[in-house]
Amino acid sequence: MNRSAGGVRLATLAAVLASFASAGSLAAQGISPTGTFGSQPTFTFGGTDIPNNAVMTNSNAGSLGVILGLTATQRFNNPALTNDGAGTFFAQPGIDANAPSGPTDPYALWNFDFFVGGDNAANFTYELLYDFDPGFGTAQADLGSLDPVCIDEIIGCLEQFPPSFPVQDSWNLGMDFLSEPIFITPPTFSPFDPTASGEYTFALLAFDANENEVARSSINVDVGSAAVPEPATMSMLAFGLVGLAGVGRRRKKRSI
C-alpha cells in the first residue's frame, strides 16, 4: 500500500516536470531576448528625456557596421519600467491618460523604442516585428511586421532611398497605423489591449541584398502579473522535489 502511494507521488511529480518541459518547448517557439544589453548615451529615440540606459543592441554591431537598438520605456510620466538586465522589461497594465490616447483610442502606459544606425546602415534593409498577443512565446510568424525606415514617410522613402540614418523613434502598440494592413502586416492576434497582462515580443532585423538576415536585436515586455512568473514556477518545482525526497526517506525507513 505504501509502495503504491509512493508510485502515485512519483507519477505526479513526473507529470509536473513534464508540464514544465512542455511549457519550455512552447516558449522556445517564440523569440527570446537577443543581443548585447547596456547603456546607449547617444540614442534619443526621436524624443527628449527618453531613458537610454537599458538598450538591447545586436551583438555583431561592430563587425557589421549596423546598430539595431530596442528598448521599452514609460510613456510620459507613467511608472518607469524595470528590467532583468538581459532584455526583459517589466511594465504595468493600463491606459495612458495623455492625448491622443483615450477610451476609443487606448494607448499603453509604456512605449517600445527603436534605433537603426551605423556606418553601413544604408547597405541593408530592415524589419521591425511587434506583438499584440499577451500570451507567452508568440511565434515569429504571428508578429506584426513593418519597415521602420519607411513607415513614417512612405512616399518620401520610395522616392529617395536610402534615407538619412540614424532612424529612431518611440512608438506605442496602441497607435492606429500598427493595426492597419496598408503598408504593414499587422499581428495575427488583434486588437491590442493595453489593460491585458502578459508578454509582448519585439525584434529588429537587418537583411543583406540577398534578403538573408544578418543581424537581430530582440526584447520582451512582461506586463502585470506576467512580470514575476519565475518564483511561482520554481516554488512548484521545489514542492515536487520535497515530495520526492519524502518518498525516498520513507522507503529507507521501511528497509531498516
Side-chain angles (χ1 to χ4, degrees):
M1 182 176 180
N2 289 335
R3 186 173 302 173
S4 175
V8 170
R9 292 188 182 92
L10 287 173
T12 301
L13 178 59
V16 171
L17 294 175
S19 68
F20 289 131
S22 176
S25 64
L26 289 176
Q29 297 176 7
I31 298 177
S32 299
T34 304
T36 301
F37 197 72
S39 177
Q40 294 291 344
T42 63
F43 293 10
T44 67
F45 301 111
T48 57
D49 298 323
I50 298 177
N52 56 11
N53 61 334
V55 183
M56 186 71 92
T57 56
N58 54 305
S59 56
N60 63 345
S63 59
L64 190 66
V66 171
I67 305 174
L68 308 176
L70 277 175
T71 188
T73 57
Q74 70 269 26
R75 178 173 168 80
F76 292 111
N77 59 346
N78 289 306
L81 277 66
T82 58
N83 65 81
D84 67 351
T88 295
F89 295 83
F90 304 114
Q92 296 183 19
I95 298 175
D96 176 45
N98 298 278
S101 177
T104 60
D105 188 22
Y107 281 32
L109 301 177
W110 50 276
N111 284 0
F112 66 97
D113 318 271
F114 64 87
F115 177 99
V116 179
D119 294 339
N120 294 331
N123 298 324
F124 299 88
T125 57
Y126 304 93
E127 183 179 21
L128 176 63
L129 304 177
Y130 59 99
D131 193 3
F132 283 175
D133 186 352
F136 283 78
T138 305
Q140 179 168 321
D142 293 325
L143 300 176
S145 170
L146 58 86
D147 181 348
V149 170
C150 296
I151 192 65
D152 282 337
E153 298 181 8
I154 295 292
I155 297 177
C157 180
L158 294 177
E159 291 180 348
Q160 186 175 358
F161 194 86
S164 176
F165 287 95
V167 174
Q168 53 186 332
D169 213 338
S170 180
W171 290 346
N172 194 285
L173 287 179
M175 291 178 171
D176 291 340
F177 72 89
L178 294 175
S179 301
E180 297 295 332
I182 300 175
F183 300 108
I184 65 174
T185 302
T188 301
F189 183 98
S190 189
F192 168 66
D193 179 2
T195 66
S197 294
E199 179 187 78
Y200 299 89
T201 300
F202 303 87
L204 190 56
L205 317 178
F207 300 88
D208 63 17
N210 296 319
E211 299 186 356
N212 297 312
E213 181 182 320
V214 295
R216 171 183 294 235
S217 170
S218 57
I219 62 172
N220 287 331
V221 178
D222 285 356
V223 177
S225 60
V228 286
E230 195 60 26
T233 299
M234 293 307 295
S235 63
M236 289 179 63
L237 180 58
F239 178 79
L241 293 176
V242 169
L244 179 59
V247 171
R249 284 196 298 270
R250 283 192 291 273
R251 284 184 172 176
K252 184 175 182 180
K253 287 180 180 179
R254 287 198 299 271
S255 64
I256 296 175

